[in-house]
Amino acid sequence: MKRHVDGVTCGGCALSAAGATAAPLLWLSMSRTQRHLGGGFENEGMDLSVLFTELPFVLLGGAFLPLLVLTLLARLTGRRRPRED
């Protein structure tokens, strides 16, 4: 069986990689995250548990949300894969 790689597949992978890179950068730039990661005076209020609780969800959301949107758009626009017999 031959695998067919098309533009939608490559676009989905590229969007997933871009989302997985951009989401943590956006998360790190938020004031709430900066406050937890040492934005207080002399490390007061530093809470490193956000790295274990929030960061995995940010990474997963950043990777899968663009892929989900691309999949829904491909389905709604009627893009169908050619059937291989």
Side-chain angles (χ1 to χ4, degrees), residues 7-82:
V8 175
T9 304
C10 292
C13 289
L15 280 177
S16 181
T21 304
L25 294 175
L26 179 66
W27 177 72
L28 283 172
S29 69
M30 294 181 165
S31 63
R32 180 179 178 275
T33 306
Q34 290 175 358
R35 183 176 58 242
H36 284 294
L37 294 179
F41 180 71
E42 293 183 354
N43 292 332
E44 288 179 7
M46 190 169 187
D47 182 18
L48 294 179
S49 67
V50 296
L51 295 176
F52 303 114
T53 57
E54 291 181 10
L55 187 58
F57 291 117
V58 169
L59 287 171
L60 288 174
F64 289 121
L65 187 63
L67 190 61
L68 177 67
V69 169
L70 182 70
T71 302
L72 289 175
L73 285 175
R75 294 270 183 192
L76 291 176
T77 58
R79 172 132 169 86
R80 302 282 188 245
R81 286 188 170 191

